[in-house]
Amino acid sequence: MNNTFKTILLSGMAAVTFASCEKDNPSGTKGSPLDEQYKNILAQYVDGTVVPTYKALAEAALEMRTANNALKDNPTDAAMKAASDAWMKARIEWEKSEAFLFGPVGEDGFDIDGHIDSWPLELQEIQASIAAGSAATGATMWSEYDSEVIGFHVTEYLLYRNGQPRPAADLSVAELNYLTSATDALVWDCVLAYVAWAGEDNVSTDIKTVFRANQDVVDALNDKAAFKNFAATLKNATGKYAGNFVAAISEISDGAADIAGEVGATKIESPFTSGRVEDVESWYSWHSLDDYQNNIHSIKNAYFGGIGLTAPTGNSLSAFVAAKNAQLDADIKGKIEDCLAKIAAIGAGGKSFYEVVRDHSNEDAVSAAVDACAELEGLFKRVSSSVIE
């Protein structure tokens, strides 16, 4: 999520969340006939999409740490290729989580989104720290460093140039030290997201060991115990939802609407209009258009009730919408595919989004993708306002 627009976006998200929490059950009381159906949809969403995505993210982050430590110990081009591949794997999993940036990862939780994915970077500060031979550990970075000098994009900056892995010989010892420490900080964010959602008792021994290795991370979760095992909180509409299943299930459609709008307006339209290449997300690796498509895949996974499905599950939000308004469900499914195709088309001619913004090219394709994302956002807002009741 772009830090430049984060305050505005989160304000909007807070308003949507507040509005959704104000909805009443059809009967006006807890325990409406729809609650059991909503509970089944939430269970499918959480167990089929959210928790598996954060599990994959945490495991990929650990692979990234292993690869970057190996690069530091033996900086060869082969090790650099392995490290950049590991970054890409973790990056994909993160982008596929962006349809559910609430709960533990949101600003009212641990702001993992802001901590892990802020851009543009404060490059001068990063470069000065590297030049000074900073010996900061990952634990220090996690607890004390600003989000603009850690996270996915600083590790991307150190691993990539112009869309390609850097020659290993180009990295100084100080850069390798910064890379491995920043990666440790990123690992704790990914592990915290998974542990907070799944519950510490429901993760592997290896994940639990990593989580417990940083007392500040453990203390953060203890200090906000309402986010422990947030999967159970959402599925049962307890805690902040206070038995309101409408508020709980609205998280699915609101989260989808939010990221659809952000992809179109913030990630694509804004940098293209300004021409500021530094505002393009993931521009060191030239992975931007893949990021944006993975954001749309996160919407599809959330709506279908599972990861990588070709058809929705029976307990998905899609199935519920189809039963209430078949045309709206068909429109959402079609628009998801339309967004994927139109975002890909921005790169016609083999261009990265960095090059498209730099050259101000492929304008019609950019406009078409922005419009498609706005339309998808509007469709999900209809779900929240007129289908969920």
Side-chain angles (χ1 to χ4, degrees):
M1 180 177 291
N2 188 330
N3 195 58
T4 304
F5 299 92
K6 181 180 167 189
T7 301
I8 295 172
L9 181 63
L10 284 170
S11 296
M13 288 174 68
V16 170
T17 301
F18 178 78
S20 71
C21 288
E22 290 296 302
K23 297 176 182 176
D24 291 326
N25 289 325
S27 64
T29 61
K30 298 177 184 177
S32 88
L34 280 176
D35 281 0
E36 193 62 32
Q37 189 173 3
Y38 285 161
K39 189 171 183 178
N40 290 338
I41 293 169
L42 288 164
Q44 182 64 48
Y45 167 70
V46 168
D47 297 337
T49 300
V50 178
V51 170
T53 299
Y54 284 125
K55 178 177 185 290
L57 173 65
E59 291 172 348
L62 290 174
E63 291 179 29
M64 181 180 163
R65 182 171 72 175
T66 297
N68 285 343
N69 285 338
L71 174 65
K72 178 181 176 181
D73 292 341
N74 186 22
T76 65
D77 287 343
M80 173 59 84
K81 176 63 166 56
S84 58
D85 286 349
W87 180 90
M88 193 69 70
K89 181 177 180 179
R91 181 67 185 169
I92 289 168
E93 297 300 342
W94 170 254
E95 292 301 300
K96 287 184 177 179
S97 77
E98 292 212 2
F100 28 95
L101 295 180
F102 62 92
V105 300
E107 191 177 49
D108 63 338
F110 307 106
D111 195 21
I112 293 170
D113 174 41
H115 209 227
I116 206 173
D117 202 24
S118 288
W119 94 97
L121 294 173
E122 291 290 347
L123 271 181
Q124 289 186 334
E125 186 176 340
I126 293 165
Q127 291 164 347
S129 184
I130 290 171
S134 170
T137 65
T140 298
M141 286 188 173
W142 188 87
S143 298
E144 300 178 13
Y145 276 37
D146 292 337
S147 57
E148 292 81 13
V149 300
I150 56 174
F152 269 111
H153 296 300
V154 73
T155 51
E156 176 196 17
Y157 162 73
L158 291 167
L159 290 169
Y160 287 92
R161 289 293 184 274
N162 298 319
Q164 298 295 324
R166 294 173 67 186
D170 284 1
L171 274 80
S172 67
V173 171
E175 284 181 308
L176 288 166
N177 288 337
Y178 199 102
L179 172 66
T180 52
S181 292
T183 301
D184 281 342
L186 185 148
V187 163
W188 277 310
D189 276 322
C190 296
V191 166
L192 176 58
Y194 176 37
V195 170
W197 264 98
E200 189 176 354
D201 292 339
N202 300 316
V203 303
S204 69
T205 300
D206 288 345
I207 293 290
K208 191 180 297 187
T209 298
V210 174
F211 170 69
R212 288 275 161 187
N214 187 333
Q215 190 59 47
D216 286 341
V217 176
V218 175
D219 290 345
L221 186 53
N222 286 335
D223 288 344
K224 292 189 174 184
F227 293 102
K228 288 186 175 182
N229 196 348
F230 197 73
T233 296
L234 186 64
K235 286 192 289 185
N236 296 299
T238 56
K240 63 177 285 188
Y241 302 104
N244 187 341
F245 278 92
V246 170
I249 201 167
S250 293
E251 297 278 27
I252 307 176
S253 51
D254 291 344
D258 288 339
I259 192 59
E262 184 189 350
V263 169
T266 301
K267 296 189 176 189
I268 298 176
E269 184 177 32
S270 182
F272 185 80
T273 301
S274 70
R276 287 170 50 89
V277 294
E278 60 268 31
D279 288 344
V280 175
E281 189 177 19
S282 299
W283 67 275
Y284 302 108
S285 62
W286 288 8
H287 198 248
S288 309
L289 295 178
D290 295 286
D291 275 5
Y292 309 156
Q293 290 172 84
N294 284 327
N295 290 161
I296 304 302
H297 281 297
S298 76
I299 293 173
K300 185 175 182 178
N301 293 343
Y303 191 56
F304 278 28
I307 296 172
L309 301 180
T310 57
T313 65
N315 282 327
S316 64
L317 181 59
S318 172
F320 178 78
V321 173
K324 294 277 189 176
N325 186 334
Q327 187 59 56
L328 178 57
D329 177 64
D331 289 346
I332 289 173
K333 291 173 184 172
K335 190 53 63 178
I336 286 171
E337 300 306 321
D338 188 43
C339 285
L340 290 169
K342 286 180 176 172
I343 292 170
I346 293 173
K351 287 192 172 185
S352 68
F353 190 52
Y354 168 86
E355 293 169 302
V356 167
V357 170
R358 182 194 66 194
D359 303 336
H360 205 77
S361 59
N362 298 357
E363 184 171 2
D364 289 345
V366 169
S367 296
V370 169
D371 289 346
C373 289
E375 289 161 8
L376 184 59
E377 178 186 18
L379 290 170
F380 274 107
K381 286 183 176 179
R382 284 179 60 194
V383 173
S384 292
S385 64
S386 64
V387 178
I388 297 172
E389 57 183 7

